[in-house]
Amino acid sequence: MRAVLAALAALLAVGTALPRPGLLPHGPARGDARLRPGDDESSPGVLLRRALRLYGRSARRLYVGTNGVISTQDFPRETQYVDDDFPTDFPVIAPFLADLDTSGDRGNIYYRQDGSRDALDRAVGYIRAGFPRSAGAFVPTDAFVATWEDVGAYQELSQGAEPSAKLNTFQAVIAYNDEDTYAIFLYPDGGLQFLGTRPKESYNVQLELPARVGFSWGDGDDPKRDGLFHSLASSEQALSNLERESNTGVPGVWVFRVGGAERVEPGGGEGAAPAVPQSLPGHPKPGTAAYTRPLSGHTAQRPGHGAPVLLGFVPGSRDGQEQSRWPRPGGDGGARLSHSASPSSYSSGHHGVGVEEDVHFNPDVFTYSEAGKETCAQHHGRCSPHAFCTDYAAGFCCHCRATFYGNGRQCLPEGAVHRLNGKVSGSLRVGRAPVRFQDVDLHAYIVGSDGRAYTAISGVPQPAARALLPLLPVGGLFAWLFALEEPGSENGFSIAGAEFTQSLEVTFSPGGETVQVTQTAEGLGPDNYLSLRTHIQGEVPFLLENVTVHVTPYKELYSYSSSAVTSSGRREYVVAAGTANQTLSYRLRQNVTFSGCPHSRLPARQRLSVARAFALFDGHEHVLRYALAARIGPAPDDAENPGVSPCHDGTHACEAPARCRPGAGAEYTCECTAGYRGDGRGCRDVDECSEGLSQCGPFSVCLNVPGSYRCECRAGYRPAGDGQACVPPAPASDPCEDGRRPCAPGDRARCVSRGDGRATCECLPGYAGDGIHCSDVDECAQSPCHPAAICYNTPGSFSCRCRPGYAGDGFQCTYAAEGNPQRLTPCQHERMYPREVPPLGGGHVPQCDEQGRYRPLQCHGSSGHCWCVDAAGQEIAGTRTAPGTTPPRCGSPEPTERPPSMCERWRQSLLEHYGGSPRGDQYVPQCEPSGDFTPLQCHGDSGYCWCVERSGREIPGTRSEPGTAPPCLPSVAPPSVRPEPRPDVSPPAAGTFLLYAQGQQIGYLPLNGTRLQKEAAKTLLSLHGSIVVGIDYDCREKMIYWTDVAGRTISRAGLEPGSEPETIVSSGLLSPEGLAVDHLRRAVFWTDSGLDRIERARLDGSERRVLFDTDLVNPRAIAVDPVRGNLYWTDWNREAPKIETSTVNGADRRVLVHTDIGLPNGLTFDPFSKLLCWVDAGTKHLECTFPDGTGRRVIQSNLNYPFSIISYANHFYHTDWRRDGVIAVNKETGAFTDEYLPEQRSHLYGITAVYPYCPGGKTLGNSDG
């Protein structure tokens, strides 16, 4: 013990980073077990010598995982937790949770139990350094040591590429006795060479999610709420400080008390210990080794007793999180203790555990060890989130819940539409010609309600694709997998789930050609997409061009065992060429192997009936297609084949949201789903709020939603610890009063408290800067005085003095010759020196009448806002109107005059905006004597003309070229027949709404003011096979534009029903990400992080050109200011991240921001406030600046992992990769006000706002401006 204490004292004295010898000894020499190399491995459960108390619960086994985690239960697949934020669905101790990989000899992971004296002495030394008082009597009896030594990050390497040389080393020690448990995280000097890993589903979008360090309780007792968690570090800044800082005084060493049920207690909250702990009780007492210097580095403070803050909570949903702000290394925004409402559909720990005696179990035939028995308590994480777990005498099984089907490990909703993605490779001989293809795309679309399966394989070379037309079993696998189930029967997915291997052999007659097909299902992805790999090898008969293949309906018997399904048969098909037909056949044998539940009772045989089967090769699109409709039922010798149930053929009378339950024969019943009431043929929503069925507590408001309800705290309250009652929030200290905010001196800046414990510094008027550093503004540079005056700049202000011979206050000077000064009216003076109009900003030039008085109606030239003013030019409250709406009626019109029409008002407004004499390139509407719009409108002297509706809106398709005028007849009726809408396009309603990209779809999220109307959210556009990243909207033609990194294209589509997506750029792209539309110049701009380029083109893809291809490393977000003709973009080059700007033509390129940024993923330009704002996944900040780079300020400093951002009204809306949702942030306060989490959870990419009008600005014709 003396040597251990001396070494610890030396570390404390030096105060440098922890050397590698500071880790507890590890490796084979210490008897450590070594985890199997791989990407997602877990150890067998280590049976502890005595029970461990963790998070208030007793545990007898520990598991170690590749991805930097230790748990008391076996791990689910890494896709369920490795990329998500805390909390996890299972108990976790995470010294460095990330996507790690030890394949290819990239490091080792060691673990062991240890009760040796030297290990326990070392552990208790660290513990007492962090807890000098409370742990003074703590004597550990056992320790568990896990070490990750020189491990790498998971990488998808291209051929010939070398893996990264950056490797991490860290260690976790759990020391415990019968009463308490402590965890120790150790990070040696140079041990953390990388701080995050790239998500597997990010495709070629260059993203890196920081690791997470901390603790998670897993699922709690309340199935509607996630468990608690404590986060130490989840940002790059905090992770980089783990080696240098500490809560024990030893850099790189972090200690936590983890035995309690309610909280994790970090070390360092009891002050410095007077001396290094001497020895364990009962040991020989060595000399005392005292600290030679005070504890250095970061010292975590013990959290206060104030309850965390929660904005809202929803029973059965993922809304809201509760956080208490404990210090993290490097200011990671506070360590968090949180629980949030979470539906069981997303938490794999919500399982009912039952015990069922197996009547067929024979103890004389099969015996087992109780210690080695697998139980639900240990392995329920293997079950689907939509399953429950049942213990049997010899093990456990998973079973899907009601309204879901599957094998329990994977479950899907009944009757839903499912999708499958995969790759197909082949090595074939077609006739005499060899054909090879590698990783071509396979996509399948399943309609579960009636057993239809559609399969498309693209990219197979043409001779092989035609020859594969008869090979219907390739698509027939999906027909068996998702066949419509007759009563008492189960389709393939109900038995094998989403992890199996199909082996198929086909022998053709009469030539004897043989082909083997292997299809391997690799599980369900985050969107419940089944992933599949297919390999085809052998010989197939050659088929001529322009032949068609017809496959007759067939029936096939399947035989079942506990882990395999087999079938064989003979199929006939007809090859037709013109009027000639030839009937051919082949024999097939197939088996499907899977890991099934040994306690399930499978049917011995079932019969698959395929009523319709089609095979087609589209030579134009190079796509091979199969389509089948199948049912599965009992084999003929088991039972008679019953008729089709009305539930299956859609003839039932159940009304949504009721479910149809098949009965005997043609009988069925209708059942209302939970949250609804009725006889099933008509279901009405239960109002849990009005009927007193909710669990909302005092000071909360119950809000009814279809099928459920949610509880929200009243203003001024927050949820209590039980998640149902609401209590007043704990008062936050005012940083402005206690001096924690280092603002500039009081004569230059002021401290502004936000009321939530945070504050900002703002420079006083007359000074510029960030509030911490404020410099005097030279107002005279802006020429604020009258032309006949001299300006004098002073600190924080200025003064004006009229020149000799003039009289006035300096702002107005009149020539005083002959005693008859010529004075300007206030309106005329203001026209010379425009003032800003809040909240529009920008100089407003007032309109004056012939006498120099203010005109009663004033309109802002660039924004389109209008309002009434009094005789002094002051705005009359309540008269302001929004752009595109009818201006207010101001003043007292003559009673004999006709009130001006919309056309006349618009014309007058534009004439005033143009100064009374418009140029030849400026548009002024033409009005009839009656005040109506002239049906034919023309644009200045450009020659372009078009027809308009009665409201003045351009009729699409009528714009003509110069020299020709379209025939415009007001009486022409609109077409009575419109195109049928696409089945995957849902047109939006009127009003402002958000569009967001989520993988293979574009989502629609309407706004009510600035609140998210989550109940009205829906999928706007499904884009099968695409990965949509960048998205923007053209307000003039009402078109959506997006980039697709999977297809390497840029496309667009209209919002009208029947609009088809159109690809405008299909070549010369590698990784198109950010995208911005200039509605005035009719141009689109985009970034390509694969080619390191910024390009532009016309909105139809023509006139494409590269703006920049130098000094770019990882360009991502891009934004445009159409009115001023400026372009902005981010480059998240890790060595030198920056935000740049140029004109839209590529001129005047310069860097705007290059300090204090990390990963600037999202960027937006607000045309109303004229602010450029961005979200940074590295610093976790949302910041804004003026377009020239001045006035930079932080709006919010505690984001999760933002990707894209858009500004609307007084809010920002950004997508987040940790929350997988849309987050709303108030511009003024920086507060999180709302969030929307889609039902299908996967990463969200770009986001944009769609207004019912275009932001202000002059139309620039066809020039670039």
Side-chain angles (χ1 to χ4, degrees):
M1 183 71 180
R2 183 188 300 273
V4 173
L5 295 172
L8 180 57
L11 286 172
L12 291 167
V14 175
T16 59
L18 183 73
R20 292 240 176 171
L23 299 177
L24 269 67
H26 58 275
R30 295 289 298 198
D32 285 14
R34 179 174 178 262
L35 186 63
R36 181 172 59 248
D39 168 41
D40 184 19
E41 303 294 336
S42 61
S43 71
V46 178
L47 182 62
L48 302 177
R49 285 187 284 264
R50 67 181 69 224
L52 164 76
R53 181 176 177 81
L54 181 66
Y55 308 147
R57 290 172 284 188
S58 179
R60 290 305 305 265
R61 294 179 185 269
L62 288 177
Y63 298 78
V64 178
T66 302
N67 296 316
V69 285
I70 303 171
S71 181
T72 56
Q73 68 184 53
D74 202 359
F75 302 97
R77 291 170 62 90
E78 65 176 16
T79 54
Q80 298 183 29
Y81 71 93
V82 76
D83 288 343
D84 292 339
D85 204 356
F86 288 142
T88 54
D89 296 333
F90 57 100
V92 156
I93 294 175
F96 193 86
L97 172 53
D99 194 358
L100 305 180
D101 188 2
T102 57
S103 304
D105 297 325
R106 283 162 56 83
N108 295 291
I109 301 173
Y110 298 111
Y111 58 95
R112 73 176 185 275
Q113 294 188 80
D114 199 331
S116 65
R117 184 67 60 196
D118 63 329
L120 296 179
D121 283 355
R122 180 80 66 89
V124 80
Y126 286 140
I127 292 169
R128 293 181 183 174
F131 296 90
R133 291 195 296 273
S134 61
F138 174 71
V139 181
T141 58
D142 293 274
F144 186 87
V145 183
T147 309
W148 287 258
E149 183 178 65
D150 295 329
V151 297
Y154 173 82
Q155 293 176 274
E156 295 180 358
L157 297 176
S158 57
Q159 189 172 3
E162 293 292 329
S164 171
K166 294 182 177 181
L167 302 173
N168 283 3
T169 297
F170 52 93
Q171 188 177 72
V173 180
I174 304 172
Y176 63 99
N177 59 20
D178 291 336
E179 297 180 354
D180 215 342
T181 305
Y182 291 84
I184 309 168
F185 293 166
L186 300 105
Y187 306 95
D189 187 20
L192 299 184
Q193 298 179 7
F194 62 89
L195 303 177
T197 53
R198 181 179 173 185
K200 285 188 172 71
E201 67 167 52
S202 61
Y203 303 89
N204 57 343
V205 178
Q206 296 297 317
L207 278 178
E208 191 171 276
L209 294 178
R212 273 124 310 132
V213 177
F215 307 85
S216 180
W217 276 240
D219 289 333
D221 297 329
D222 185 351
K224 294 185 178 181
R225 300 172 64 188
D226 285 344
L228 302 172
F229 68 90
H230 174 86
S231 177
L232 175 65
S234 62
S235 70
E236 289 192 1
Q237 179 183 356
L239 291 163
S240 65
N241 290 332
L242 288 173
E243 297 177 20
R244 301 188 299 271
E245 298 184 357
S246 172
N247 63 4
T248 64
V250 183
V253 179
W254 300 81
V255 179
F256 306 87
R257 182 173 176 267
V258 295
E262 296 299 325
R263 56 186 293 184
V264 163
E265 184 176 353
E270 300 175 358
V276 176
Q278 299 177 14
S279 66
L280 295 174
H283 294 193
K285 182 176 180 180
T288 300
Y291 291 123
T292 58
R293 58 178 290 178
L295 297 180
S296 62
H298 175 86
T299 302
Q301 300 299 316
R302 185 167 183 165
H305 299 287
V309 176
L310 179 64
L311 294 176
F313 53 94
V314 183
S317 78
R318 290 183 285 128
D319 288 356
Q321 278 196 344
E322 164 173 310
Q323 300 185 358
S324 69
R325 307 197 172 276
W326 300 358
R328 300 193 211 178
D332 196 25
R336 296 174 290 167
L337 176 67
S338 173
H339 57 79
S340 63
S342 179
S344 59
S345 58
Y346 291 109
S347 180
S348 60
H350 298 153
H351 306 281
V353 180
V355 179
E356 179 178 312
E357 288 294 331
D358 189 343
V359 296
H360 299 285
F361 175 68
N362 184 347
D364 298 327
V365 177
F366 179 79
T367 60
Y368 65 98
S369 166
E370 183 67 29
K373 173 188 172 184
E374 292 185 334
T375 65
C376 290
Q378 300 167 342
H379 299 290
H380 70 270
R382 295 180 183 177
C383 298
S384 163
H386 309 292
F388 61 91
C389 185
T390 301
D391 280 318
Y392 295 87
F396 75 96
C397 278
C398 307
H399 306 283
C400 294
R401 298 182 185 276
T403 73
F404 289 86
Y405 72 104
N407 68 345
R409 299 203 175 189
Q410 294 93 28
C411 300
L412 291 173
E414 292 178 348
V417 172
H418 309 305
R419 299 182 187 273
L420 298 88
N421 295 328
K423 297 292 184 181
V424 183
S425 302
S427 176
L428 292 173
R429 178 173 291 276
V430 182
R432 297 182 179 179
V435 179
R436 294 180 181 272
F437 47 94
Q438 182 71 30
D439 286 344
V440 301
D441 290 329
L442 178 149
H443 300 290
Y445 180 84
I446 311 298
V447 183
S449 59
D450 55 10
R452 285 179 290 150
Y454 302 93
T455 307
I457 305 174
S458 57
V460 177
Q462 193 169 108
R466 286 198 309 273
L468 291 175
L469 281 170
L471 205 61
L472 201 69
V474 173
L477 170 67
F478 311 130
W480 168 75
L481 200 62
F482 297 103
L484 187 65
E485 296 174 332
E486 295 180 3
S489 301
E490 293 182 302
N491 60 22
F493 188 79
S494 296
I495 294 171
E499 295 175 343
F500 58 83
T501 299
Q502 180 215 35
S503 299
L504 170 70
E505 182 179 271
V506 175
T507 302
F508 290 87
S509 296
E513 299 91 346
T514 300
V515 64
Q516 292 86 28
V517 180
T518 302
Q519 295 186 281
T520 303
E522 300 175 332
L524 296 178
D527 294 324
N528 281 338
Y529 285 21
L530 190 148
S531 178
L532 194 83
R533 297 198 70 85
T534 302
H535 185 76
I536 307 174
Q537 183 173 356
E539 187 176 4
V540 291
F542 175 79
L543 291 181
L544 297 172
E545 290 189 30
N546 301 321
V547 302
T548 57
V549 173
H550 304 280
V551 182
T552 56
Y554 62 89
K555 297 180 180 180
E556 191 169 45
L557 289 177
Y558 284 78
S559 300
Y560 296 81
S561 66
S562 60
S563 60
V565 182
T566 60
S567 73
S568 61
R570 178 176 177 273
R571 302 271 178 84
E572 289 188 347
Y573 62 98
V574 177
V575 179
T579 59
N581 294 338
Q582 183 181 12
T583 300
L584 300 172
S585 67
Y586 56 77
R587 297 198 64 82
L588 64 88
R589 293 184 300 157
Q590 66 173 326
N591 66 78
V592 179
T593 57
F594 58 94
S595 177
C597 173
H599 312 290
S600 60
R601 300 175 179 85
L602 299 179
R605 290 195 304 163
Q606 294 189 123
R607 183 170 69 179
L608 182 74
S609 301
V610 177
R612 297 185 299 277
F614 301 95
L616 173 69
F617 174 64
D618 188 332
H620 179 68
E621 295 185 358
H622 301 285
V623 177
L624 175 63
R625 303 182 188 275
Y626 301 112
L628 300 93
R631 299 168 54 195
I632 195 158
D637 55 353
D638 291 343
E640 292 186 1
N641 194 7
V644 179
S645 168
C647 293
H648 296 152
D649 62 12
T651 59
H652 62 81
C654 303
E655 298 180 1
R659 289 194 300 264
C660 181
R661 294 289 189 189
E667 296 180 354
Y668 66 93
T669 57
C670 301
E671 297 179 359
C672 294
T673 56
Y676 292 88
R677 184 181 294 133
D679 59 2
R681 300 181 186 271
C683 300
R684 66 181 185 277
D685 176 53
V686 176
D687 189 344
E688 293 87 353
C689 301
S690 63
E691 296 182 19
L693 302 177
S694 75
Q695 299 298 317
C696 300
F699 309 112
S700 65
V701 177
C702 178
L703 301 176
N704 188 58
V705 296
S708 185
Y709 68 95
R710 72 172 185 265
C711 306
E712 291 187 358
C713 288
R714 298 182 184 276
Y717 292 86
R718 58 161 181 80
D722 61 359
Q724 295 176 346
C726 296
V727 296
S733 61
D734 187 349
C736 295
E737 294 181 359
D738 59 24
R740 287 187 285 117
R741 190 65 184 168
C743 300
D747 59 345
R748 292 173 172 256
R750 63 172 179 165
C751 182
V752 180
S753 176
R754 293 186 175 181
D756 57 356
R758 294 181 300 159
T760 57
C761 298
E762 294 181 355
C763 295
L764 295 176
Y767 293 91
D770 58 3
I772 299 176
H773 304 286
C774 298
S775 58
D776 177 58
V777 175
D778 186 358
E779 294 88 349
C780 294
Q782 305 297 322
S783 302
C785 304
H786 190 273
I790 300 173
C791 181
Y792 298 90
N793 186 55
T794 59
S797 185
F798 69 100
S799 62
C800 300
R801 186 178 304 167
C802 293
R803 297 178 182 274
Y806 291 83
D809 58 3
F811 296 97
Q812 281 206 55
C813 298
T814 57
Y815 185 65
E818 301 178 357
N820 186 21
Q822 300 295 317
R823 181 176 297 274
L824 299 176
T825 67
C827 183
Q828 293 167 336
H829 181 268
E830 194 174 337
R831 284 186 63 84
M832 296 179 62
Y833 308 105
R835 59 182 172 87
E836 288 201 345
V837 178
L840 305 175
H844 167 60
V845 180
Q847 293 88 51
C848 311
D849 61 16
E850 294 76 9
Q851 289 76 37
R853 297 172 298 189
Y854 290 95
R855 291 188 181 276
L857 174 66
Q858 299 285 323
C859 293
H860 195 273
S862 60
S863 72
H865 285 267
C866 294
W867 61 93
C868 299
V869 298
D870 57 19
Q874 297 299 310
E875 179 178 351
I876 299 174
T879 62
R880 183 180 293 267
T881 59
T885 60
T886 302
R889 298 185 62 180
C890 307
S892 303
E894 294 294 331
T896 59
E897 292 183 358
R898 173 179 58 80
S901 66
M902 179 189 298
C903 180
E904 292 166 336
R905 292 195 304 270
W906 188 17
R907 177 182 177 87
Q908 181 61 30
S909 176
L910 287 177
L911 287 174
E912 293 173 348
H913 177 64
Y914 298 148
S917 56
R919 299 194 309 268
D921 63 273
Q922 293 176 325
Y923 169 70
V924 176
Q926 294 91 53
C927 308
E928 300 277 22
S930 62
D932 295 331
F933 286 89
T934 302
L936 175 65
Q937 297 283 322
C938 294
H939 187 282
D941 57 9
S942 68
Y944 287 91
C945 296
W946 60 92
C947 302
V948 297
E949 301 171 347
R950 185 178 184 85
S951 63
R953 187 186 302 275
E954 180 178 349
I955 299 174
T958 62
R959 184 176 290 260
S960 67
E961 296 294 326
T964 60
C968 300
L969 300 175
S971 61
V972 174
S976 59
V977 179
R978 298 189 178 275
E980 288 295 322
R982 284 166 49 105
D984 56 353
V985 175
S986 178
T992 301
F993 53 89
L994 304 177
L995 295 177
Y996 60 88
Q998 187 181 20
Q1000 303 189 75
Q1001 65 187 30
I1002 295 176
Y1004 160 81
L1005 180 56
L1007 297 176
N1008 182 5
T1010 58
R1011 298 291 296 177
L1012 303 175
Q1013 288 187 275
K1014 289 169 275 193
E1015 67 280 358
K1018 59 185 176 182
T1019 297
L1020 180 72
L1021 189 62
S1022 295
L1023 301 164
H1024 190 59
S1026 299
I1027 298 298
V1028 181
V1029 177
I1031 184 172
D1032 205 357
Y1033 176 69
D1034 173 24
C1035 58
R1036 287 179 59 183
E1037 295 186 351
K1038 296 179 172 53
M1039 300 277 283
I1040 320 167
Y1041 289 74
W1042 68 86
T1043 61
D1044 177 1
V1045 297
R1048 298 179 179 179
T1049 58
I1050 299 175
S1051 304
R1052 65 181 179 180
L1055 293 180
E1056 299 297 328
S1059 297
E1060 290 284 345
E1062 173 192 3
T1063 299
I1064 61 171
V1065 180
S1066 59
S1067 62
L1069 300 175
L1070 184 57
S1071 182
E1073 297 185 10
L1075 177 139
V1077 169
D1078 185 336
H1079 69 278
L1080 296 181
R1081 293 168 183 79
R1082 318 306 296 149
V1084 60
F1085 304 84
W1086 68 89
T1087 63
D1088 192 317
S1089 67
L1091 300 175
D1092 295 335
R1093 285 181 182 172
I1094 294 175
E1095 299 188 59
R1096 69 167 283 174
R1098 302 286 294 174
L1099 289 183
D1100 60 1
S1102 63
E1103 300 181 26
R1104 176 180 174 184
R1105 61 190 176 99
V1106 176
L1107 291 180
F1108 303 108
D1109 57 4
T1110 60
D1111 296 327
L1112 293 171
V1113 178
N1114 293 112
R1116 170 154 296 155
I1118 190 166
V1120 64
D1121 175 6
V1123 175
R1124 291 157 189 79
N1126 291 328
L1127 195 64
Y1128 307 91
W1129 64 92
T1130 69
D1131 186 337
W1132 60 272
N1133 172 13
R1134 288 188 174 277
E1135 303 302 323
K1138 60 187 175 180
I1139 300 175
E1140 293 188 273
T1141 183
S1142 74
T1143 68
V1144 291
N1145 291 324
D1148 193 22
R1149 178 182 181 181
R1150 62 195 185 280
V1151 176
L1152 278 183
V1153 181
H1154 64 89
T1155 59
D1156 298 325
I1157 56 175
L1159 296 175
N1161 276 339
L1163 186 71
T1164 183
F1165 180 81
D1166 186 344
F1168 302 108
S1169 67
K1170 311 299 187 294
L1171 288 175
L1172 181 70
C1173 303
W1174 67 93
V1175 285
D1176 191 318
T1179 64
K1180 311 295 187 185
H1181 287 181
L1182 191 167
E1183 299 187 60
C1184 292
T1185 183
F1186 290 115
D1188 61 357
T1190 63
R1192 179 177 175 181
R1193 66 188 183 99
V1194 176
I1195 306 297
Q1196 169 58 243
S1197 60
N1198 194 29
L1199 305 180
N1200 280 305
Y1201 200 93
F1203 187 88
S1204 181
I1205 185 173
I1206 192 67
S1207 170
Y1208 173 69
N1210 64 341
H1211 270 71
F1212 294 108
Y1213 302 91
H1214 71 270
T1215 56
D1216 188 276
W1217 271 42
R1218 291 288 195 209
R1219 297 290 293 156
D1220 288 336
V1222 176
I1223 315 297
V1225 178
N1226 185 283
K1227 286 183 181 178
E1228 300 300 324
T1229 66
F1232 296 107
T1233 61
D1234 205 356
E1235 71 174 353
Y1236 167 65
L1237 307 174
E1239 286 295 327
Q1240 290 190 348
R1241 187 170 185 181
S1242 63
H1243 289 334
L1244 275 63
Y1245 293 86
I1247 187 170
T1248 191
V1250 176
Y1251 307 93
Y1253 55 86
C1254 283
K1258 295 184 291 183
T1259 302
L1260 300 176
N1262 293 327
S1263 66
D1264 285 338

